Amino acid sequence: MTSNATILPVATGRVTLAAFWRALRRYPLLAWASGATATAASVAAVVVPILLGRLVDLVVAAGTVGSLLLTAAWILGAGLAAAVLTGAANWLVTEWGMRACADLREEVLDRALRMDPTRLESAGSGDVASRVTEDVERVTDSVRLAAGIFTALVTVVVTFAGFATLDWRIAVAFLIVFPVHVLSLRRFVPQAKRLYAAEREAAATRTQSLLTTFTGARTVHAYGMQDRQGRRVEQASRHAVVARLSAVRGFLWFANTMNYAEALGLTSVLLTGFLLVRGGDSTVGDVTAAALLFHRLFGPLGMLLISFNDVQSAGAALARLVGITGLDVPAPRPADTVGPPPPTGITAKSVWHRYPGGPAVVTDVSIEIGEGESLAIVGESGAGKTTLAAILGGVFPATDGEVWLADRPISELHPTELRRMVGVVTQEVHVFAGTLADDLRLAAPDATDEELHAALRLVGADAWVDALPDGLSTRVGDGEHPLTAGQAQQVALARIALLDPPVVVLDEASAEAGSAGARQLEQASAALLRGRTAVVVAHRLSQAHTCDRIAVLAHGRIVELGTPDELVAAGGRYAELWSAWRR
């Protein structure tokens, strides 16, 4: 499996095939039914040209009308059977492949959701987004095509057997097409693998560029970066188009060689048949049947070879999906007995953290936060506040050191138990598409409307929710009723209230609300934190000053620690920050 420091891994061809084969083997009944139906359809289809050849011989030999009508009836029946069986085979193979693809997609999403956040941040959202959207769509579309490919492959094998029933020399003449195809494939396959891998990577870069442009639209407008950012998107899009055109040009050459092979093969079959008939070793009917069989192969062979373009592209996409399924992620373990989580404190022991390829952002931090105590983390931008809060909240593990909840290492907690113990709210919250009630019930699926309203009242959101067109049934999220940054934060705080964890981590939860809504969010946060163990990354020192203790971070280290009054009286770094804030 290949990888580098900045993108997620891409599986090798062998690993990709093995993974997809495992997914297909989960449905043995569909596999056997697909193979049997496709074989029967191909046999019926091959019988038609052979019977047409017999009909030609009957005409040449001036056969009886009865024999002619009987042969014609058999031709009609075989053709009808071939049509029905081909449709059934296509349906069965499509169902088989779509189920396997759905299983693979679910596995990819599961691994992506449980991926180490530091690795996810290093790869960038565009890489993951393109894999679970564009790559999944590419593989799914190819699975629909796979039904025709599977049937075509069976048809080629059965048709060759049909050639052998006529005359082995005609079958040998037919084989002349394969050296041409083999030579073409040997040249095209290595080139196609590289071209389509480059195309998918360019598509991921384009997706990343578009995502960052849309999510950072306010910043782009604020700094007048429209033209500059537009050029970046244009450059990424142009690179993706160039990569796509390179892949298409390579395939067009391959398609032309396929046409040459078919012309050469038909000429060889007809010439061999002519010589055999002239020598009395074969009949006109047999040669006619051979020509019709070869002509019938144009479709299946064309599908196998033309679809190679889509197969290569889908293979590149599938390799990116399997690359995620091969990641080492925490294996799910049985959760402890469900019940109210007990009150708890947090202890950090010699915690260090560095992101891949970078310096340490948290350096030898040891701190104990008592049960029910609130700790604010303050410091300049880049001091490591968000990283330390994420480690204390179990969002991702520290590079070194250990974090404990009461007497248990946080790394030993089942993910479900951890999220019941620790609720985390960041400044970048997300409102999911759907009704507001559904959004809130992500935290508590069984919560009643009364419990939802109680959580909203706790965080001061009841007034604006009651004013919505349909109250809790109002559809929010992308393309629906818009929520302000402050309202989105209140929804996130209400989710935590519904979850009711004993520990809460707030990462600058009022930073995006602006001055007007910040005070309201601070009040909502204070109400939520009451009686809980809390870690607060404070963007506003007025919020930090209400906490029991404050830790001042600088270059990843705690340089001051104490109550707000103690730190102000000490006249150190926090005192300077507090004085500047008050001014």
Side-chain angles (χ1 to χ4, degrees):
M1 194 169 294
T2 61
S3 64
N4 59 41
T6 58
I7 63 173
L8 297 172
V10 177
T12 62
R14 180 177 298 178
V15 172
T16 301
L17 287 175
F20 195 58
W21 177 240
R22 283 196 301 271
L24 290 173
R25 288 175 60 188
R26 294 171 186 166
Y27 304 97
L29 184 60
L30 276 174
W32 283 106
S34 299
T37 309
T39 301
S42 298
V43 169
V46 167
V47 165
V48 173
I50 294 177
L51 288 176
L52 284 171
R54 297 292 180 265
L55 189 64
V56 169
D57 283 339
L58 285 173
V59 172
V60 172
T64 64
V65 174
S67 60
L68 289 173
L69 291 177
L70 181 61
T71 304
W74 278 106
I75 292 172
L76 182 62
L80 182 61
V84 173
L85 290 170
T86 298
N90 287 339
W91 181 82
L92 286 169
V93 176
T94 300
E95 181 73 12
W96 182 26
M98 292 297 285
R99 290 191 183 186
C101 193
D103 290 345
L104 182 61
R105 178 171 59 246
E106 291 176 7
E107 186 177 354
V108 169
L109 288 173
D110 176 68
R111 291 300 179 100
L113 290 173
R114 294 193 290 122
M115 192 185 305
D116 182 358
T118 57
R119 188 168 195 170
L120 183 60
E121 291 176 6
S122 177
S125 58
D127 192 9
V128 179
S130 66
R131 294 190 191 216
V132 298
T133 53
E134 294 179 15
D135 289 336
V136 167
E137 184 178 354
R138 182 67 60 87
V139 173
T140 302
D141 289 342
S142 296
V143 166
R144 298 188 184 100
L145 181 65
I149 295 176
F150 183 81
T151 305
L153 184 61
V154 175
T155 299
V156 171
V157 175
V158 173
T159 301
F160 184 72
F163 269 113
T165 64
L166 298 173
D167 192 296
W168 66 269
R169 289 163 291 190
I170 297 178
V172 171
F174 156 72
L175 291 177
I176 196 172
V177 300
F178 288 103
V180 180
H181 287 321
V182 169
L183 291 175
S184 301
L185 286 172
R186 288 191 63 182
R187 175 180 173 183
F188 179 62
V189 170
Q191 183 185 51
K193 188 177 296 185
R194 175 180 55 82
L195 290 175
Y196 285 115
E199 180 200 0
R200 302 312 310 149
E201 186 174 340
T205 303
R206 178 185 57 195
T207 301
Q208 173 78 10
S209 180
L210 289 171
L211 283 175
T212 55
T213 299
F214 288 135
T215 56
R218 292 183 180 179
T219 303
V220 171
H221 286 287
Y223 288 95
M225 297 167 53
Q226 293 93 327
D227 292 340
R228 190 185 318 161
Q229 190 64 20
R231 286 193 295 271
R232 290 179 179 175
V233 174
E234 182 182 0
Q235 183 178 3
S237 299
R238 185 181 296 111
H239 182 60
V241 169
V242 169
R244 177 62 179 165
L245 289 176
S246 297
V248 169
R249 280 194 295 268
F251 173 73
L252 288 177
W253 173 87
F254 178 67
N256 286 332
T257 62
M258 182 188 68
N259 292 330
Y260 298 149
E262 289 176 351
L264 181 63
L266 183 58
T267 302
S268 176
V269 168
L270 291 175
L271 179 60
T272 303
F274 170 75
L275 295 175
L276 290 174
V277 171
R278 191 176 67 173
D281 295 325
S282 186
T283 67
V284 175
D286 285 345
V287 176
T288 301
L292 290 173
L293 282 175
F294 187 85
H295 188 270
R296 173 168 174 70
L297 277 179
F298 285 6
L301 278 176
M303 173 168 284
L304 286 175
L305 297 171
I306 290 178
S307 63
F308 194 81
N309 181 57
D310 297 313
V311 170
Q312 282 290 108
S313 181
L318 185 61
R320 287 161 53 81
L321 295 179
V322 175
I324 290 184
T325 65
L327 288 175
D328 293 328
V329 296
R333 305 187 306 274
D336 292 345
T337 303
V338 176
T344 185
I346 305 174
T347 302
K349 299 179 179 179
S350 300
V351 169
W352 293 69
H353 191 76
R354 58 171 42 87
Y355 293 100
V361 292
V362 174
T363 306
D364 196 21
V365 170
S366 296
I367 192 170
E368 184 172 347
I369 307 170
E371 176 186 323
E373 180 185 18
S374 58
L375 174 74
I377 302 176
V378 302
E380 298 177 351
S381 178
K385 305 185 297 296
T386 293
T387 300
L388 178 59
I391 293 172
L392 296 177
V395 177
F396 53 77
T399 304
D400 197 10
E402 188 67 84
V403 176
W404 294 63
L405 290 180
D407 58 349
R408 299 180 64 186
I410 202 170
S411 59
E412 295 182 2
L413 294 176
H414 186 276
T416 302
E417 184 181 6
L418 174 60
R419 292 282 68 89
R420 287 179 56 249
M421 294 285 292
V422 184
V424 180
V425 179
T426 70
Q427 58 180 307
E428 297 178 357
V429 297
H430 185 73
V431 178
F432 294 89
T435 66
L436 179 59
D438 290 339
D439 197 302
L440 292 168
R441 287 193 175 102
L442 289 171
D446 299 326
T448 64
D449 285 355
E450 290 74 16
E451 290 171 329
L452 299 185
H453 281 294
L456 292 167
R457 280 194 301 272
L458 178 66
V459 299
D462 51 323
W464 64 262
V465 170
D466 291 339
L468 291 175
D470 298 311
L472 287 173
S473 298
T474 302
R475 296 188 66 84
V476 295
D478 294 340
E480 304 290 350
H481 187 89
L483 299 184
T484 66
Q487 290 171 341
Q489 282 286 356
Q490 286 178 309
V491 171
L493 293 173
R495 289 197 205 107
I496 298 298
L498 289 166
L499 187 63
D500 194 23
V503 180
V504 174
V505 176
L506 301 183
D507 184 1
E508 298 187 349
S510 64
E512 297 296 323
S515 299
R519 184 170 302 167
Q520 186 178 22
L521 279 178
E522 288 176 11
Q523 294 172 352
S525 299
L528 178 66
L529 299 182
R530 194 170 296 118
R532 308 179 198 272
T533 305
V535 177
V536 180
V537 177
H539 180 75
R540 299 168 62 87
L541 290 190
S542 56
Q543 185 180 23
H545 218 65
T546 62
C547 292
D548 297 324
R549 285 193 299 163
I550 298 174
V552 181
L553 236 62
H555 306 295
R557 295 180 180 273
I558 295 180
V559 294
E560 288 183 345
L561 179 64
T563 67
D565 292 339
E566 289 172 347
L567 295 184
V568 170
R573 185 168 302 193
Y574 179 77
E576 295 176 0
L577 293 172
W578 178 247
S579 177
W581 172 260
R582 295 186 63 183
R583 288 197 300 270

